[in-house]
Amino acid sequence: MLPEIHLHPSPRSTILPLLSPQIAALPITRRIQFHLQSPSATILATFPPTTPSLPADYAISYVDRSRAPETECWLFSSIEPSSNAGNALSSDAIQRARLQLLALLAHINDLPLLDSYPSTQNRSLLLVGAVNRTTLSLLKNEPIDPADGKKVISGSTGAVGPDPDSRPLPGHLDANNPLPSTVTKTRIHSSTHPTNKSQQSVVKGHTIPYAKFIFPPHALSTPTTPSTSITSGTATLPTGMHWTPIQPADLKLVLSRTEIPRTERTLEILPSVGVRLSRGPEEGRLIAWAFLGVDGSLSSLHVEEGYRERGLAKGVARRVFGFLGAGVGEVEGRAKGEGDDKGLVGIEGGREYAHSDVARDNVASIGVARALGGVEGWECFWSWVDLGAVEGVVGGL
């Protein structure tokens, strides 16, 4: 039997106080903390809003299908912290976690879609971002084979292509330096081709593994008070450069420098930091930039050719992470045309953890992440969930 699903209309008061200590829940926590929540954003959980403390087993989802073709959903299962630590999972725990995830997805399938949902999108496919390896294994009901994944996924039918919110940093990861075995091992076991419909996979496709890097507060040497501007001045920069926010006129350049299809509407609402030339014939030229994604992750970090290996990537990353400082994002984040100028809200002092997702073949990005003090935490994926398959699986229970 599927567990009951509860709507959380005020997740910052009913979920965040309970969930924020969980580092494994950082992506969905930061997504709830992002200052803009569209009317179609829905936060669901397997426990009611009146719950005073987290139950032993639970699952949470954040879904906003108005963001298509970008990432529409984030999932978190209470089984993830134990799995990240390399602990064995009992068959009962696996079954409970799978049923909770299926219940959330079945509820999502029943949510109405806006008339403005892109006609090019397959409505039965849900793009889920930063899915923990164990959670993805639960949805597939089998271990994850990296050979099945693609670098990025997108498209109107779940075909292979760039995922708008996969946020790979520039470069290539050394294949001889994988994540620790305690992180990459999954203990989900089932038949590859189950005959029982209730045991079938609900995953249409997924990416290769991305390393989830966690940056503790002490690693982020950025301005963290409203009185100190993150997007102005020249501190730590080479002569002839200055810090700057990313302007709407810059977005075509930003989009031209990535294979990841993103939308200007999203980039305009994200906190951002850039570096411009302040002298010479190219005065005013934007040469480096980064954004803080809707889930608080480092996004679209880029340095123009001719200006690399000068520390600009690390400098821009540290600056944009400054929006996570208690009170800072609420003052300087950009949100033109969509509400108050804020970045992320409700981040307590000492809890300014940042994160980023780096593809395994991304050597330069791994180097940047480590140089920033990042620690490899776990593996995650972007995945298409087939909501039609969810309906079939749930019907077979």
Side-chain angles (χ1 to χ4, degrees):
M1 178 180 295
L2 290 178
E4 185 177 357
I5 298 302
H6 303 269
L7 176 66
H8 283 250
S10 303
R12 290 175 185 166
S13 60
T14 62
I15 289 181
L16 287 186
L18 305 179
L19 199 61
S20 58
Q22 291 272 13
I23 295 300
L26 197 57
I28 197 169
T29 296
R30 292 287 185 255
R31 186 63 185 94
I32 293 172
Q33 287 172 324
F34 190 70
H35 70 286
L36 294 175
Q37 306 293 332
S38 78
S40 61
T42 304
I43 293 82
L44 305 168
T46 53
F47 55 87
T50 55
T51 301
S53 60
L54 288 173
D57 302 300
Y58 63 91
I60 301 169
S61 67
Y62 179 107
V63 61
D64 182 1
R65 303 207 69 184
S66 73
R67 305 313 299 180
E70 299 180 336
T71 302
E72 302 169 273
C73 181
W74 281 258
L75 295 170
F76 178 71
S77 169
S78 59
I79 207 171
E80 293 176 16
S82 181
S83 177
N84 292 345
N87 299 328
L89 306 174
S90 70
S91 58
D92 286 345
I94 290 171
Q95 181 64 11
R96 287 194 302 271
R98 176 172 161 85
L99 288 175
Q100 289 174 341
L101 292 166
L102 288 173
L104 287 172
L105 293 168
H107 194 103
I108 290 171
N109 190 37
D110 290 335
L111 295 175
L113 280 178
L114 297 175
D115 292 338
S116 59
Y117 194 79
S119 60
T120 56
Q121 293 291 117
N122 185 331
R123 296 185 172 211
S124 69
L125 295 180
L126 179 72
L127 185 56
V128 185
V131 189
N132 184 286
R133 170 183 278 271
T134 296
T135 293
L136 184 61
S137 297
L138 291 170
L139 297 177
K140 289 192 74 174
N141 210 27
E142 64 183 47
I144 303 302
D145 184 352
D148 293 339
K150 306 300 180 181
K151 177 71 176 288
V152 285
I153 60 171
S154 188
S156 60
T157 61
V160 175
D163 166 28
D165 223 11
S166 58
R167 300 174 298 278
L169 293 157
H172 302 281
L173 171 66
D174 183 356
N176 295 319
N177 189 19
L179 295 174
S181 59
T182 56
V183 175
T184 59
K185 287 180 180 177
T186 182
R187 292 168 167 78
I188 308 297
H189 302 284
S190 70
S191 170
T192 303
H193 301 287
T195 56
N196 185 339
K197 193 170 185 178
S198 67
Q199 298 300 313
Q200 292 178 353
S201 171
V202 298
V203 175
K204 178 77 172 180
H206 60 79
T207 64
I208 60 173
Y210 279 69
K212 174 66 74 176
F213 273 87
I214 305 298
F215 304 89
H218 64 75
L220 309 177
S221 55
T222 52
T224 57
T225 65
S227 62
T228 306
S229 178
I230 294 173
T231 58
S232 65
T234 61
T236 73
L237 285 176
T239 302
M241 303 178 187
H242 67 271
W243 299 108
T244 178
I246 306 302
Q247 302 295 338
D250 299 318
L251 297 182
K252 284 185 171 51
L253 171 64
V254 171
L255 292 172
S256 73
R257 294 298 192 262
T258 177
E259 64 179 358
I260 308 301
R262 307 182 193 277
T263 63
E264 289 190 22
R265 68 164 184 170
T266 293
L267 291 179
E268 280 204 21
I269 66 174
L270 299 180
S272 62
V273 178
V275 177
R276 295 187 194 275
L277 298 178
S278 56
R279 63 177 64 175
E282 293 188 295
E283 181 179 352
R285 178 188 170 189
L286 185 67
I287 60 170
W289 57 82
F291 294 77
L292 199 64
V294 293
D295 63 353
S297 63
L298 183 62
S299 178
S300 299
L301 176 63
H302 176 81
V303 178
E304 293 277 73
E305 290 189 21
Y307 297 93
R308 295 172 184 172
E309 299 184 1
R310 301 190 189 186
L312 295 182
K314 293 191 291 289
V316 169
R318 284 196 174 98
R319 283 262 160 175
V320 83
F321 281 150
F323 285 108
L324 295 172
V328 175
E330 301 175 26
V331 174
E332 294 200 37
R334 291 179 56 246
K336 293 183 180 293
E338 291 200 49
D340 296 334
D341 287 348
K342 297 180 181 179
L344 285 93
V345 298
I347 298 178
E348 300 175 358
R351 302 298 303 175
E352 303 95 339
Y353 288 89
H355 65 107
S356 68
D357 310 298
V358 187
R360 280 195 165 206
D361 64 351
N362 207 325
V363 171
S365 298
I366 291 290
V368 171
R370 288 175 175 162
L372 287 168
V375 177
E376 297 175 25
W378 59 90
E379 286 184 330
C380 62
F381 303 74
W382 271 254
S383 174
W384 285 112
V385 169
D386 187 340
L387 296 176
V390 171
E391 185 177 5
V393 169
V394 168
L397 292 173

